[in-house]
Every structure is written in C-alpha cells, then in structure tokens.
Amino acid sequence: MSLDDFFNDESFFGDYTFKNSPRAVKRFPFPFPEDDYMYSVNMEPHVPGRPGSVFEHTFDVDEHYVAEMRDRARVLKQDPLRCQSLPHMTLAGWDLLELIMESFARDYPQWFSLTKSGNDWHWINRPLNIDQKFTFLDETTLPCGPMEYITRQAQGDFTLQDQREDTLWVEAGMVTTQADWSLDFDIGMNFHQWHAPVPVAHELGVFDRALKFLLALQHGAPVRRFNWTMTVDPLLDTSPENYPKWGPGKTTLTKENIGKRQHLRVELQTLFRLPRSNAIAFPIRCYLCSFEDLVTQPKWARRLHRVVRDLPDELATYKGFIRNRPLMVEYLSQFDDGAPTSPGWWPEE
Amino acid sequence: MSVGAAKIPVIVTEVVEVNSLIKRFRFVREDGGEMPGFSGGAHTVVEMDDHGVRRLNAYSLMGDPGDRTGYEISVRRDEAGRGGSLYMHSHVKPGMRMLISPPVNLFPLDLRAKKHLMIAGGIGITPFMAQMAQLDALGARFELHYAARDRELGAYMAELVERHGERVHRYFDVEGQAINLQTLLAGQPLGTHLYVCGPKGMINWVLSTATAMGWPKGALHSEEFLAPPVGQAFTVELAASGKTITVGPAQSLLEALEAAEVDAPYLCRGGACGQCETKVIRCDGHIDHNDHWLSADQKAQNSHIMPCVSRFTGAALVIDR
C-alpha cells in the first residue's frame, strides 16, 4: 500500500471531510467497559496490546496522521501560544523527542527511520516528507525546540510535567486537539490546581490517589487511562480560545443531523517517566467517532445509550453536553433493545 | 516488586578499590544493549543473593548520565551493618551476573535554579558526581563543597578537581578544615538551590542553618538513605494475607514480607520514598520508627509503619499486609 492510500486526505474544520474507514471504526477505543460510568483512577500498565488495536504500539499512528499534523500546523499558525515550554523544560523536550523517534522508528519502520552515531542523529519521516540531520541535545541544530519539533510530527496533545515539592507542575506542552482546556492558562500550575475545575472526582479522593501513583511512576513502566467527552462536528481544536467559533454549533444539532454531527471524543492518555529530566510526559491522544459509525457496533450502541442516559447531571454539564442529552438519548435509544452487554469494551466479533 | 518496571540483568565488569573503605562497581547489560538514560541524583537497587538471603540495597548512580554503556556505583563498607555492603565488598567480582532496578530519582536537580550549590559529606559525594556531569553538559552553574575525614577517604576528589576545577572545594576534618556554612550561604545569588547528601548530622546542620537564614523550603534538597538497622527478632501478624512472620535480627520487615511472598511496593528501601507505608491495625509494644517519611503524629500514634527500616519490640504487632 502506498503512503497516499493509507493516509486520509481530510479536514477537521470548515467543510469537515474527516471520516473513519470501517477499519478505523472497528479499532476505535470505545471507553466504557460497563453500562455505567463514574470517575476512577483507572490506570493500567501501557504494555503492547492486541495487534491492530490502538494499543498495539507505544504510540498509535493511524490513517489520520498526515491530516492531523496539517491541522496542528494550521492551529499553531493562528495561535503560537498553543506550544510553550518554560526554559527548564528543554531537557524534558529532548527526552520526549527521543522517546517518540525511537518508538516510531521501531514500530513503523516503513514510515520512520532513526540512525544515530553518538549524538549525531538522522531522522526520516516519510509520510511528512522530512529528512533531518541534527545533534541530540543541541537545540541550534533543529528548526525549533525539541518538543515543538517532534510534536509537530506526532498525533495527540503532549504536556511535560516537572516533579518537585511532592507534586507535578505542567511546564511545557503542545496543545491543539484539546477538550476545552488551555495550556496558556494552565502552564505553571501544579497537579491539584490544573484539575480544580473537575467536579465530583476531588471528593472521591481520585486526584490524591492518582498523584501519589504518578510521583512513583518509573522509567520503563508507562501507564495509560481513558477519558472522554462529546464534540459536535469532528473538530480537533475545541479550545476555550476558539469557543465562539465552535460552541454555538451545539445549538444546531437536530434529530436529522445528530448521527453524522455528534461525535464521541475519546482520549487515550499515557504517562511516561522521562530518563534525563525525571519529568513526566503526558501524551493525550484524541480519537473521534460519529454516533452513526458507533452504532454500527451493536454492543457499543446499547452501552453508549445507557451511559449517556444515566450519567449524573454535573458530569454531563462539565463535559458540555447537558443541553443535547435528550436528543442524544432519543437517537441512541433506537439502537438499544435492552439486551445485556458483554463485559469489556471490545466490539463483539 | 517495586512499582512497575522489570529488573535489568547485568554483568559486573569492574570492581575497583577506591580507598580502604570504598569500592566502585561497574555494571553493563547482559544482553549488550544500552542502559536506560537517567537523571543526576538517581539510584538503582542492587539485588544480592547473600548465601540464600536476598538483599536489596539502593546505591546512587555516580557515572555520567550521558554515558549509556554502563552504570557505576560506589559502596562504603559498613562492618556493623547487616551485610549488604560486606557482601558487595567480599563476594562481587568481575564477570558476576546480577539484577539491578531501573533508575529512580528521589534527589533530582531543580533545573529552574540559577545556581546549584552542593554540599557532600563522605560517600554522599556519589549522586553529585552524576549531577555535576549533567549540569556541566547543560552549561549550568554549580559549585561543590565536599568534606571528608582525611585525604585518603576523600574519594574521587582528584578526579573531580580535574573535571570541574575551581568549582570543587575540599575540606578535611583531620586538618581542621570545615565548611564556613553561614558565610557560604550568605554569599549565594538569588535563585540558588542547595543540595546536601551525607551523614545525618551534616544534613540536619545544613538544612537547619539554611532555614534559619531564610532560605525557602523549595530551594532545599537532601538525600539520606538509611540502612535498615539490626535488632532483636520480632513476630508480625499480617491481617490481609492471613500470615504470621518472624523478622530476623539482620533482616528488615520489608525483606521478611518479601520472603513470605507478600507484596509491598518500594522505591528506596531506606525510609524516604513512602511507597511501603503500611497501616498498623494493632500495636501492643513499641515501634522503632526509623524513617523520614511518617509524620510525628503518625509515629506517636503508631498508626503506620515503614517496613523497610522500622522494627518492633513487644507482645503483638498486626499490620495491614
């Protein structure tokens, strides 16, 4: 298969030509292992998973890769502050660059290659047509900082957390595919500060436990978890900065267009201890799937109906879909015959 | 097992007698691959099979973090200790196969610092050796003040001076030299971070002096791993696993748990990281709280115990493991 056949030519704004192939729908990381949902720490080791699944490799590169990188460049051009790195985080940026380059080259040798001779590195990214020779740990040999350089070539948002005073501090990041939060606002905050807006979870003690777990995260033992929300139209950049552009879209959902326009937005979040900087990398990879595609899997259709119907109001409000919940439930109920669902989130074979 | 990562099978390639008390060991991967990168201040936990007794001791990585061909540690022989350092000194030879943990850093550099001021006592020099190599590569500003008993025991002083020149300041107790701490601290530029590693007395002296002089808590960093003390044997009832175990005189409670196949997480095994913290369900007797982790309240109430370094004397101890 040639590069052009594998990677979609599509857009995540304007005419929204984004589309999941049948294969992409089947491997969509549906985030609900049960028929109801509540916050939990829900972290598990990030070890290679089923072949073909989004867990097969350390980082998933899928059919949307080229288009997502084009979308990132577009967003950055409009708003350069989506990428920021405080001066002491440069070393963590190099750690991240190494992690991504080594993983990509190992897991997708048909697309990426990395050759090293000491600190002289040669990176080839065929899908994006990049051929770069540079000196590892020498910023002057790259066109931009190491974190920006590599995250312009990797799907998903990335933040880098420094660890000190028994907490984590978000002090660098590339954030253009976010579920309504702002790096420019959060940068410099610690773990409890940036999670302050999340309802319910604080009272459950979720953040205290999660932080204790993360402070002990070890190099070589990454972990992962899911998060999810809802997005009208396949827009990656649902940022607070651009809310006036996408927020009103929620008011134009109808019975007729909801199947095509309403998307379940899933984040596969992974956490890696970085070796040289002792920082933690937090890749947040966003997957979108329309309701109409989701309901092609009968198990997901039944379960999504039940989760959306029964979610506590404060969570539906926080996730920004309380207004359209009745419409979603009405649409999804057509596909729920009340039959029991099997445990776990994989679609039925 | 500690949190997560798999142990690294290594071969001992060098054992060097640095002075009458200290030996240096070099490990390379058994499979010939690169060691994981690490940050200055990190340690590894070395697993020893001491004639049937499994010992796990944490040692700071002292090599250049930029060198991924191998890890180096220095071990000071402790005649009165439980035997880990004696085992390293008398039984570990080049060619031997061992297991070590991936690096963990409980004494990291704060890279926001405008200057890094380091104070080392004796074997406490080792984490600074890695940190200085890393700071040197980053072009950061640092200064080391290193005290030892005498010239013979001042391990690596010559190498450090050769590598870092006038940034290294040496002090020998027997020659009546001592760090003039007040003056040193008073003369530091704004944004300096202070790091200290050495004997307990030195750490307390440095931290209390800096605090009294108004240094912010966030700019003070220290590391002291405790060796688990020896003591009388004692018996512990494990409520969660339904077992009763006996902790030997030269064994720690954490080691006894592991020998009984009861899982307790750890990172440092020296009373600092907090991972093995365990709830006490009943304590009819006295717990020797030897850790730096629990609060004074927790210690006074015997609500928790750190199995890596703390011991018990009395009629009954029941813990939540």
Side-chain angles (χ1 to χ4, degrees):
Chain A
M1 186 184 285
S2 78
L3 291 181
D4 294 343
D5 291 339
F6 184 84
F7 296 110
N8 301 346
D9 182 10
E10 60 192 351
S11 63
F12 297 88
F13 75 107
D15 55 357
Y16 293 114
T17 57
F18 163 86
K19 196 167 173 11
N20 283 306
S21 68
R23 179 177 169 275
V25 172
K26 194 90 181 167
R27 76 197 290 277
F28 182 75
F30 186 75
F32 307 111
E34 296 165 334
D35 285 357
D36 53 19
Y37 173 81
M38 186 28 84
Y39 286 121
S40 64
V41 176
N42 72 336
M43 280 189 271
E44 60 173 13
H46 184 45
V47 291
R50 281 188 198 193
S53 75
V54 300
F55 298 143
E56 183 178 2
H57 301 301
T58 304
F59 295 98
D60 183 38
V61 177
D62 67 8
E63 64 188 33
H64 307 297
Y65 176 63
V66 173
E68 282 189 30
M69 293 303 94
R70 213 159 47 203
D71 196 59
R72 165 154 294 160
R74 176 187 67 86
V75 174
L76 283 170
K77 201 165 177 188
Q78 292 169 356
D79 183 358
L81 292 179
R82 301 304 185 83
C83 177
Q84 298 188 48
S85 176
L86 299 187
H88 63 286
M89 299 304 283
T90 304
L91 185 62
W94 284 111
D95 275 331
L96 180 68
L97 174 141
E98 177 190 49
L99 174 68
I100 293 175
M101 285 188 178
E102 286 187 347
S103 303
F104 277 24
R106 177 188 67 230
D107 296 333
Y108 308 95
Q110 70 278 33
W111 298 329
F112 306 98
S113 99
L114 177 67
T115 42
K116 300 180 190 174
S117 165
N119 279 346
D120 295 331
W121 291 22
H122 184 190
W123 167 246
I124 297 172
N125 176 336
R126 292 183 190 92
L128 297 184
N129 219 354
I130 291 170
D131 186 314
Q132 178 82 43
K133 290 181 176 149
F134 64 100
T135 307
F136 186 65
L137 300 176
D138 180 354
E139 269 187 282
T140 62
T141 60
L142 283 177
C144 54
M147 179 193 71
E148 178 176 352
Y149 181 78
I150 196 58
T151 57
R152 279 178 179 269
Q153 302 177 47
Q155 288 167 278
D157 286 342
F158 293 83
T159 63
L160 298 175
Q161 280 67 224
D162 196 18
Q163 179 165 333
R164 52 178 197 269
E165 296 169 49
D166 293 324
T167 188
L168 298 171
W169 304 82
V170 57
E171 290 175 332
M174 169 67 90
V175 178
T176 67
T177 69
Q178 68 284 60
D180 204 6
W181 71 278
S182 163
L183 175 72
D184 192 39
F185 185 75
D186 283 3
I187 196 161
M189 288 190 189
N190 70 31
F191 189 82
H192 280 93
Q193 290 168 341
W194 84 70
H195 283 114
V198 183
V200 187
H202 292 275
E203 290 76 14
L204 297 173
V206 165
F207 292 121
D208 292 332
R209 286 199 302 279
L211 177 60
K212 192 177 172 196
F213 180 87
L214 292 175
L215 292 176
L217 186 69
Q218 266 192 283
H219 179 56
V223 296
R224 66 183 172 226
R225 68 179 293 264
F226 281 133
N227 198 7
W228 66 277
T229 188
M230 294 286 179
T231 302
V232 176
D233 298 325
L235 182 66
L236 285 172
D237 175 33
T238 50
S239 57
E241 286 88 346
N242 281 335
Y243 191 81
K245 295 181 191 162
W246 59 269
K250 293 191 218 177
T251 64
T252 58
L253 216 55
T254 65
K255 235 188 279 189
E256 291 68 39
N257 66 24
I258 186 169
K260 274 193 185 9
R261 291 189 60 199
Q262 182 63 57
H263 289 69
L264 175 61
R265 180 185 193 104
V266 174
E267 290 174 353
L268 171 56
Q269 306 180 339
T270 48
L271 292 135
F272 298 81
R273 172 73 65 190
L274 298 174
R276 293 171 188 77
S277 58
N278 200 44
I280 287 181
F282 184 40
I284 309 157
R285 172 65 184 278
C286 172
Y287 293 88
L288 293 165
C289 190
S290 67
F291 272 24
E292 158 180 286
D293 282 344
L294 281 168
V295 300
T296 59
Q297 308 300 319
K299 173 177 165 180
W300 292 354
R302 293 184 183 108
R303 183 166 290 167
L304 186 60
H305 170 241
R306 295 166 199 179
V307 168
V308 171
R309 183 190 62 198
D310 301 336
L311 196 74
D313 282 354
E314 62 259 60
L315 268 67
T317 303
Y318 175 67
K319 289 177 184 293
F321 65 89
I322 188 91
R323 172 197 179 97
N324 288 327
R325 171 147 74 173
L327 203 58
M328 292 173 168
V329 172
E330 188 189 339
Y331 174 82
L332 292 168
S333 67
Q334 307 170 68
F335 307 98
D336 184 1
D337 56 8
T341 54
S342 59
W345 58 266
W346 304 99
E348 253 111 23
E349 297 303 332
Chain B
M1 184 51 209
S2 66
V3 194
K7 299 255 165 148
I8 307 168
V10 293
I11 298 174
V12 181
T13 56
E14 278 176 45
V15 179
V16 177
E17 203 167 318
V18 178
N19 59 36
S20 57
L21 282 181
I22 296 170
K23 278 190 177 180
R24 181 174 72 240
F25 301 84
R26 182 177 173 83
F27 305 111
V28 303
R29 282 183 80 108
E30 208 179 282
D31 64 12
E34 286 191 318
M35 297 300 261
F38 70 95
S39 49
H43 70 264
T44 182
V45 175
V46 178
E47 190 167 328
M48 303 165 219
D49 177 9
D50 185 0
H51 308 90
V53 179
R54 184 166 167 266
R55 302 193 185 281
L56 292 159
N57 283 14
Y59 296 106
S60 296
L61 295 170
M62 56 173 279
D64 179 352
D67 172 16
R68 290 179 59 184
T69 60
Y71 281 176
E72 290 187 354
I73 62 167
S74 281
V75 179
R76 185 184 196 277
R77 196 175 66 230
D78 180 5
E79 300 289 354
R82 305 170 323 126
S85 69
L86 294 177
Y87 177 85
M88 290 298 294
H89 270 254
S90 30
H91 294 284
V92 175
K93 306 277 185 246
M96 219 170 117
R97 283 161 202 275
M98 298 185 85
L99 283 177
I100 67 173
S101 76
V104 170
N105 200 341
L106 301 175
F107 187 46
L109 291 165
D110 189 328
L111 293 177
R112 295 173 309 161
K114 301 285 180 251
K115 177 182 170 185
H116 304 266
L117 178 65
M118 301 166 164
I119 299 183
I123 191 70
I125 187 63
T126 51
F128 292 129
M129 295 179 71
Q131 291 183 335
M132 287 188 289
Q134 193 168 25
L135 290 173
D136 208 22
L138 291 170
R141 187 173 170 197
F142 65 88
E143 189 177 301
L144 170 73
H145 295 260
Y146 176 14
R149 201 169 66 204
D150 54 35
R151 288 180 187 267
E152 199 261 326
L153 290 180
Y156 308 116
M157 277 191 176
E159 293 95 312
L160 287 170
V161 169
E162 193 176 320
R163 240 181 265 163
H164 304 298
E166 60 191 19
R167 289 175 288 187
V168 176
H169 302 255
R170 297 176 286 182
Y171 305 83
F172 301 106
D173 301 348
V174 297
E175 298 178 25
Q177 299 163 341
I179 300 170
N180 187 344
L181 191 58
Q182 296 253 357
T183 310
L184 178 65
L185 295 185
Q188 296 306 316
L190 211 61
T192 301
H193 279 245
L194 173 63
Y195 306 79
V196 55
C197 185
K200 195 187 196 69
M202 176 188 234
I203 292 175
N204 291 342
W205 170 59
V206 171
L207 296 183
S208 60
T209 306
T211 304
M213 291 174 68
W215 281 59
K217 192 166 167 270
L220 305 179
H221 313 272
S222 65
E223 177 161 73
E224 183 200 6
F225 286 157
L226 302 164
V230 297
Q232 299 286 313
F234 60 97
T235 300
V236 184
E237 199 181 314
L238 310 178
S241 48
K243 294 179 180 177
T244 299
I245 57 172
T246 299
V247 181
Q251 193 180 30
S252 71
L253 171 52
L254 177 59
E255 289 165 347
L257 287 168
E258 289 166 343
E261 290 173 354
V262 174
D263 189 46
Y266 69 82
L267 288 175
C268 78
R269 305 181 77 85
C273 76
Q275 287 298 305
C276 67
E277 179 185 300
T278 302
K279 272 194 188 126
V280 172
I281 294 170
R282 194 156 77 83
C283 172
D284 182 3
H286 177 75
I287 297 176
D288 295 312
H289 290 288
N290 295 314
D291 60 277
H292 306 303
W293 176 258
L294 297 176
S295 67
D297 270 4
Q298 287 174 311
K299 289 181 180 178
Q301 291 169 15
N302 286 332
S303 62
H304 294 77
I305 186 170
M306 304 306 293
C308 57
V309 289
S310 296
R311 305 188 71 85
F312 173 75
T313 45
L317 176 65
V318 185
I319 64 171
D320 185 21
R321 281 286 173 204

